[in-house]
Amino acid sequence: MVAPNNVRSEFTQCFGDDSDVRVFCAPGRVNLIGEHTDYNDGFVLPIAIDRNTVVVARARNDSIIRVYSVNRKQEGTFDLDHATPIQKGQWTNYVEGTARLLRQKGFRIGGTDIVLESDVPVGAGLSSSASLEMAVAAALVRLGDQPFDRERMALACQEGEHEYTGAMIGIMDQFAAAFGEEGHALLLDCRSLEFIAIPVLLEHHALLVCDTGVKHDLAASAYNDRRRECAEAVEILEKFIPGIRALRDVSESKLNAYATELPEVLYRRAHHVITENARTLAAAEALQERQYTVLAELMYASHESLRKDYEVSSPELDLLVDTARTIPGVAGSRMTGGGFGGCTVSFVEQDRAEEFMFRMREAYGTELKVYTVRASPGAEEIC
Ligand code: ADP
Ligand code: MG
């Protein structure tokens, strides 16, 4: 965890002193299963992790937000009362989108000085962006003495990311950063936003994240392409299956009945989403019932579907998952996050965890980073 006192002393360096500051944090997340289902109104099973963005914040008596990132060693400024054209590609857009969308959704947001630091790996599929957004949102909402409406805050962060970065992401990341629970995964229905917390028992199993250290350039554009392909599939299918709003509403048998009506690529995209929804519900049950061999098969099947049907894996991710399958004591492994690089998530028996790390590094290279993560709480005020 980033040391809050370090962030306070950075705040003093930026803004003169740290009197009256308040400190907040929000976690990154690892998605156990349910990939690319959130923007199809489907199901996801993320776990908020013990890596966070820490925000130190103090209200100003104007409408200006000044924000400094310790990781980037860069500051940005904008005025909430004056909108300026969005310049894509800047990290401060994640802050600006959050602040402006919170305002649009009716929160009272005033000028604020902010210093933030994160230990969520950036661009690795563990959602450093939602972690940053929710930590900033927590600070802005609390400094305005307002109710901590986690759902509305998560929606504001998501829409802010849409408008200010152009990434048309689903709700999973912000939801996990907002509602994470210690020791639990969240089975979330991305249509109703209802969720149940399912215990993740880590006495016998470790949750290990392997970071390929690779992020392929096409990741952002391919994400939006997949989203568009899913919408196109729904547009065609609704001529034959009246009343559907999203791939969530289509069963596998209905999809197969109308398979020839879809271009082959759209069929495979839809097939991934529809089968992934079913796998996610089955995996939640397996986790609840501690049926780890069932969970393992579902995770491997998810990876295969992402590799072949959805085509968002990468040679590095495939190598890690293919290697994990050969190691004793591994109860499932798959790519996690949007894909095209980033991380895999693996469930490994505790007393085999050392051997797992050794064997994975042997196959991938000694530079492979492996993080042991724990299921952790969502956004909160600390200190
Ligand atoms: P992911 O959310 O999977 O880590 P994204 O591409 O969605 O990847 O978000 C990463 C971006 O979020 C970074 O490129 C940067 O703009 C911003 N970001 C995340 N954490 C920080 C930080 N601590 N300081 C500055 N910018 C950050
Ligand atoms: Mg992100």
Side-chain angles (χ1 to χ4, degrees):
M1 169 86 159
V2 170
N5 278 343
N6 286 351
V7 193
R8 284 182 81 124
S9 60
E10 294 274 356
F11 189 98
T12 302
Q13 282 185 32
C14 281
F15 300 114
D17 67 82
D18 68 351
S19 56
D20 302 327
V21 296
R22 290 167 71 176
V23 187
F24 304 84
C25 71
R29 61 102 190 93
V30 65
N31 189 24
L32 202 54
I33 195 165
E35 215 65 77
H36 289 277
T37 44
D38 58 355
Y39 54 82
N40 289 297
D41 277 2
F43 299 95
V44 292
L45 191 60
I47 298 172
I49 57 175
D50 50 345
R51 284 174 173 261
N52 286 270
T53 303
V54 171
V55 159
V56 173
R58 180 169 62 199
R60 298 166 57 97
N61 48 21
D62 58 18
S63 56
I64 292 185
I65 293 200
R66 287 177 66 191
V67 56
Y68 177 78
S69 163
V70 176
N71 304 85
R72 288 284 174 116
K73 298 189 172 52
Q74 278 174 359
E75 191 188 303
T77 303
F78 58 94
D79 186 340
L80 286 166
D81 287 348
H82 297 101
T84 45
I86 302 165
Q87 292 190 333
K88 292 270 159 72
Q90 304 185 54
W91 70 268
T92 48
N93 288 344
Y94 292 88
V95 179
E96 187 166 348
T98 296
R100 291 202 193 276
L101 266 291
L102 282 169
R103 250 198 181 185
Q104 273 182 36
K105 288 197 176 288
F107 287 96
R108 266 190 328 277
I109 304 296
T112 312
D113 288 332
I114 298 171
V115 172
L116 59 87
E117 183 174 2
S118 173
D119 63 357
V120 184
V122 170
L126 301 179
S127 199
S128 67
S129 58
S131 154
L132 178 153
E133 291 155 9
M134 272 308 300
V136 168
L140 295 177
V141 167
R142 276 290 191 231
L143 288 178
D145 275 336
Q146 293 160 94
F148 213 62
D149 183 340
R150 291 175 190 267
E151 186 174 309
R152 258 194 326 140
M153 289 160 67
L155 290 167
C157 292
Q158 180 201 18
E159 283 176 38
E161 193 164 331
H162 286 178
E163 280 188 31
Y164 279 76
T165 78
M168 299 308 292
I169 45 150
I171 191 61
M172 169 171 65
D173 300 355
Q174 287 76 11
F175 201 91
F179 286 94
E181 284 186 26
E182 185 158 11
H184 290 79
L186 306 179
L187 174 64
L188 170 66
D189 176 338
C190 296
R191 172 171 280 165
S192 67
L193 297 187
E194 283 169 6
F195 71 97
I196 49 174
I198 298 177
V200 182
L201 301 173
L202 296 178
E203 303 100 68
H204 304 298
H205 287 84
L207 200 52
L208 297 174
V209 173
C210 294
D211 187 347
T212 63
V214 175
K215 177 93 182 173
H216 294 287
D217 284 344
L218 76 173
S221 63
Y223 188 98
N224 288 351
D225 289 346
R226 292 296 179 281
R227 193 174 171 140
R228 197 170 42 247
E229 287 167 345
C230 291
E232 281 169 27
V234 172
E235 227 172 274
I236 296 170
L237 287 170
E238 73 184 346
K239 292 185 201 136
F240 305 95
I241 320 168
I244 60 166
R245 285 194 283 144
L247 287 176
R248 148 74 175 273
D249 302 314
V250 182
S251 66
E252 193 178 353
S253 60
K254 279 271 195 251
L255 172 70
N256 288 333
Y258 299 107
T260 52
E261 307 294 341
L262 290 169
E264 193 265 342
V265 169
L266 294 193
Y267 170 79
R268 282 191 288 117
R269 305 299 187 245
H271 187 257
H272 164 71
V273 172
I274 291 164
T275 56
E276 184 78 351
N277 275 331
R279 279 188 292 271
T280 305
L281 293 173
E285 197 179 320
L287 187 64
Q288 181 88 52
E289 303 298 327
R290 302 181 207 176
Q291 294 170 339
Y292 295 118
T293 44
V294 175
L295 181 65
E297 284 318 309
L298 291 163
M299 288 174 75
Y300 291 127
S302 167
H303 186 81
E304 281 311 296
S305 178
L306 288 158
R307 170 169 21 196
K308 297 200 177 113
D309 278 349
Y310 220 62
E311 295 180 286
V312 293
S313 189
S314 72
E316 300 85 2
L317 291 165
D318 293 342
L319 171 62
L320 289 178
V321 172
D322 291 344
T323 305
R325 286 192 89 129
T326 67
I327 301 174
V330 177
S333 183
R334 55 180 289 279
M335 58 160 273
T336 187
F340 300 102
C343 293
T344 64
V345 56
S346 307
F347 234 9
V348 183
E349 287 171 20
Q350 282 289 358
D351 50 7
R352 302 276 198 166
E354 286 296 318
E355 182 190 352
F356 174 85
M357 291 187 206
F358 178 81
R359 297 264 309 264
M360 294 299 279
R361 290 200 175 104
E362 199 176 45
Y364 192 81
T366 48
E367 75 278 11
L368 178 70
K369 291 194 219 89
V370 186
Y371 317 119
T372 305
V373 298
R374 301 190 64 82
S376 302
E380 58 190 347
E381 184 160 8
I382 47 178
C383 311

